[in-house]
Amino acid sequence: RLAQVHAVSTSADAFFAVSLAGSLFFNLSVDAARPRVILYLALTMAPFAIVAPLVGPLVDRYRRARAGVIALTLLVRGILCLFIAGDLRNLFFYPEAFGVLVLGKGYSIAKSAAVPGLVNDSGGLVAANSRLSRLSSIAGAAAGGLAAGVLYLGGAPLVLRLGALVYFTGAALAARIPL
């Protein structure tokens, strides 16, 4: 079940990334996009520094809450995507997008903490992690292609709204993880 949730989460992340690329970067000249690209890169690195020290110990302390943390991060990212769809042209966009990125790192930490609890032996841990990586690569590539088609046909707000639906699906699936 965690593999299904991870594939859905990666698909939703692909929708989010394609919407950002379509709304922030490709609609501008190179000179106008440069500061935004630098800001985006800074924002994608900052969540590691903020989330890891806070979420890691919390998830380790409350082992039974891992599925709840996974579901909550997916749910809130979906809600934020709906807000971002309406705020693509104003300043609320930046803290909302930052929230999605921070929650994505929180999801990653909770997912990584959940894997050992779902694998029976330590030898199967490497196989489980490689399976998750393989699944996420396939799901992300497929969803990214689909999101690019939606971006071309309907624009970034539609991609974000569909991405929100994918996040909500992942949250529902995460509630069924047996941790």
Side-chain angles (χ1 to χ4, degrees), residues 39-135:
L39 178 63
Y40 177 75
L41 291 174
L43 288 177
T44 57
M45 295 307 292
F48 282 114
I50 293 171
V51 173
L54 301 174
V55 175
L58 184 67
V59 169
D60 285 339
R61 181 173 295 158
Y62 302 106
R63 292 176 188 236
R64 292 189 175 170
R66 290 176 182 158
V69 171
I70 291 170
L72 184 64
T73 60
L74 289 162
L75 178 67
V76 176
R77 284 190 284 168
I79 292 168
L80 285 172
C81 279
L82 293 176
F83 283 120
I84 293 169
D87 292 334
L88 282 173
R89 303 273 187 252
N90 64 43
L91 289 177
F92 289 120
F93 165 82
Y94 293 101
E96 292 163 354
F98 185 72
V100 171
L101 295 171
V102 168
L103 288 166
K105 300 309 174 204
Y107 163 82
S108 179
I109 292 167
K111 186 255 322 162
S112 295
V115 172
L118 295 171
V119 176
N120 294 333
D121 58 30
S122 60
L125 190 58
V126 173
N129 280 319
S130 67
R131 181 176 177 227
L132 286 174
S133 293
R134 198 170 42 252
L135 257 164

Side-chain angles (χ1 to χ4, degrees), residues 16-32:
F16 178 69
V18 167
S19 72
L20 288 184
S23 63
L24 286 180
F25 306 128
F26 296 135
N27 293 333
L28 302 170
S29 68
V30 173
D31 290 333

